[in-house]
Amino acid sequence: GSTLRGSFNSTLSEEAKKDSAKRLELASRATSGSGLYMTEAARFNTIATLTNLAALESNRMPMLLEPGLLDNICRAVHNEHSDVPKQCSALAIMNLSNGDMDNVPEMASNDMVLETLLKLIREVNPETRRNAVVTIFNIACSDLNTVRLARYRDGMILEALTELVGSDDPVRLHDEARANAAETLFNMACSDISETTDRMANHAGLLECLAVVLRGEHTGLEVKMYCSATLRRMAELIRHPMIAQGALLSALVKAATWTSTDCIAEAFKAQASEPENCVIMAHHHGLLNALSRLALTSGDDADVDKVRRAAVGAIELMSRQDEARALLARNEGIIMALTKASYGDEGSLKDESLTRQSMMSEMDEATFDQSYGRFEGDEDEEASVQSRRIQLALKNLVSAM
């Protein structure tokens, strides 16, 4: 045991040394270069000229191929004391990151650029922050780049984006950078490379931050929509026995107040679509209550109806597993949600004092096809199938009481 511990500590020490050496090298590169010997006015004029040149699409790729040009723009960020040259540099880097119709610049392989973006994303000036985040978004349009972004300094870029998205500050209510950061996380979550999404799933606090944002008082609708969409995407990817599943389920429980779109309800349904997840979901603290509240969401518009349908769909999927079914049957909200979905507003729910016996009697009178075929005379086959599944799920839950 002591030998393994010593080997592990030695490995950590070596990694720490490499990281420290790399950062020293970057610091050295950032504080060197012929441009630093120019007057401040000359440097600013040069950066402004490069910014204007980079605004033209046909110039971008040739500029990126020019040795040392991008590094020198980054050096201005690390060495200028005035905010204006930093703002100009951030705009130049953002312009270059747009590439052209055929190319997404491989800027993620340049550590100097990534370190510069980390500095810019924490600047006070809102336009500078926005330009830095838009640059990261542009870079993340390439799947290979998303891995490099997620890996950099063991998740420092993910951390910076998470902090920005989670800044529930009334002063920043209309902060474009925050919306851009939320969109960037969603863009990265859509990567086809599993390492990118795995690193996002396992990044400490990221999933919880997305959920908390949905309950924020000083958060714009656009930010919330991207956060809910990212949680839905992660729910499609995370499953048992992944370590991140517990954090995901906790995040979904916190996010269950979100009903402006069906993303959170669909996230629960995505989890329930994997049989091995259902028992874990049923045991997770607060999940059944959260899911039943979504299934009982009040409102008549189409978006609310989608939320209810997705939540009820998740309950129905969970009810197919014996162990999960026993837990579902003991939750009053789950039973009420299934009953309401089964009978509708004009059915037996008008008398909410249905007893177990009366529900069983009603269910036994219905004719069930175990293959979930359609009701006789039903014009909508899909709705019919789902309705019969819900009624059968309710019958099974009542039987398990």
Side-chain angles (χ1 to χ4, degrees):
S2 60
T3 304
L4 286 173
R5 196 180 302 113
S7 174
F8 179 71
N9 290 336
S10 175
T11 302
L12 283 179
S13 178
E14 287 299 319
E15 289 180 356
K17 287 179 182 177
K18 288 180 181 178
D19 184 60
S20 177
K22 191 172 186 178
R23 295 189 67 181
L24 286 172
E25 180 191 354
L26 279 173
S28 176
R29 285 172 57 194
T31 54
S32 62
S34 57
L36 299 181
Y37 297 100
M38 300 165 65
T39 65
E40 184 175 346
R43 281 199 303 274
F44 172 72
N45 288 334
T46 301
I47 295 168
T49 301
L50 291 172
T51 302
N52 290 333
L53 286 171
L56 187 62
E57 182 181 309
S58 59
N59 289 339
R60 292 169 193 156
M61 298 313 295
M63 290 176 71
L64 286 168
L65 293 172
E66 184 65 28
L69 186 146
L70 187 56
D71 281 4
N72 279 318
I73 296 175
C74 291
R75 285 189 182 98
V77 174
H78 293 275
N79 293 280
E80 292 290 349
H81 299 293
S82 171
D83 287 338
V84 177
K86 290 180 185 178
Q87 294 169 24
C88 205
S89 296
L91 181 57
I93 296 169
M94 186 198 74
N95 284 342
L96 289 170
S97 73
N98 283 305
D100 56 32
M101 293 294 290
D102 302 314
N103 297 280
V104 175
E106 294 295 325
M107 294 167 74
S109 59
N110 188 327
D111 287 352
M112 173 78 85
V113 172
L114 299 186
E115 197 65 30
T116 301
L117 292 173
L118 279 175
K119 183 177 177 64
L120 291 171
I121 204 174
R122 293 187 171 98
E123 285 289 316
V124 175
N125 182 275
E127 187 176 345
T128 300
R129 285 199 309 273
R130 174 195 170 276
N131 289 339
V133 179
V134 171
T135 300
I136 296 173
F137 173 85
N138 289 339
I139 294 172
C141 287
S142 160
D143 257 7
L144 185 59
N145 285 344
T146 63
V147 180
R148 293 168 178 163
L149 291 171
R151 284 177 186 167
Y152 186 68
R153 283 180 53 191
D154 198 25
M156 283 301 294
I157 288 178
L158 288 177
E159 183 63 22
L161 292 171
T162 302
E163 286 179 3
L164 186 52
V165 170
S167 57
D168 192 31
D169 185 345
V171 177
R172 294 187 177 184
L173 179 59
H174 303 292
D175 188 357
E176 287 185 61
R178 193 179 179 199
N180 294 137
E183 184 180 11
T184 302
L185 287 175
F186 174 67
N187 194 32
M188 293 179 69
C190 292
S191 171
D192 290 328
I193 299 179
S194 59
E195 183 183 345
T196 299
T197 51
D198 286 349
R199 283 181 176 272
M200 292 183 70
N202 293 313
H203 187 83
L206 191 152
L207 296 173
E208 182 181 11
C209 171
L210 297 174
V212 171
V213 165
L214 293 178
R215 307 173 74 160
E217 296 180 7
H218 309 296
T219 304
L221 180 62
E222 186 178 8
V223 175
K224 290 184 176 182
M225 291 184 72
Y226 279 121
C227 287
S228 63
T230 304
L231 281 172
R232 176 178 178 175
R233 170 62 177 165
M234 299 309 292
E236 294 168 354
L237 300 172
I238 298 172
R239 61 189 63 185
H240 178 74
M242 294 174 69
I243 295 172
Q245 189 181 33
L248 172 70
L249 296 180
S250 294
L252 292 181
V253 170
K254 288 181 181 178
T257 56
W258 174 256
T259 56
S260 295
T261 67
D262 63 350
C263 283
I264 301 305
E266 285 289 352
F268 278 113
K269 188 176 179 181
Q271 281 288 289
S273 66
E274 299 293 332
E276 63 270 23
N277 290 342
C278 293
V279 175
I280 295 169
M281 292 175 70
H283 279 286
H284 194 89
H285 179 70
L287 189 145
L288 294 184
N289 289 337
L291 188 54
S292 67
R293 284 195 298 271
L294 282 172
L296 292 166
T297 301
S298 59
D300 298 324
D301 60 85
D303 289 336
V304 171
D305 188 52
K306 288 179 181 178
V307 171
R308 287 194 293 259
R309 285 177 180 272
V312 169
I315 295 170
E316 188 275 317
L317 288 167
M318 292 174 68
S319 74
R320 299 181 189 183
Q321 308 304 314
D322 291 342
E323 188 177 343
R325 185 184 303 149
L327 295 169
L328 289 165
R330 294 201 292 269
N331 188 286
E332 183 179 341
I334 293 292
I335 295 296
M336 184 177 291
L338 278 182
T339 306
K340 189 169 184 178
S342 174
Y343 290 96
D345 292 332
E346 297 180 1
S348 302
L349 270 193
K350 286 186 177 178
D351 177 9
E352 294 185 3
S353 62
L354 281 175
T355 63
R356 174 184 171 182
Q357 289 76 16
S358 64
M359 284 194 296
M360 286 294 293
S361 175
E362 291 279 358
M363 298 302 293
D364 286 335
E365 288 177 5
T367 303
F368 288 99
D369 181 349
Q370 294 299 324
S371 66
Y372 301 123
R374 58 183 296 177
F375 279 132
E376 184 177 354
D378 196 328
E379 296 297 326
D380 188 343
E381 184 172 359
E382 184 179 351
S384 171
V385 169
Q386 183 64 8
S387 176
R388 299 187 74 147
R389 285 175 174 168
I390 291 168
Q391 292 187 11
L392 183 57
L394 180 58
K395 181 179 180 180
N396 289 337
L397 292 191
V398 172
S399 300
M401 284 181 178

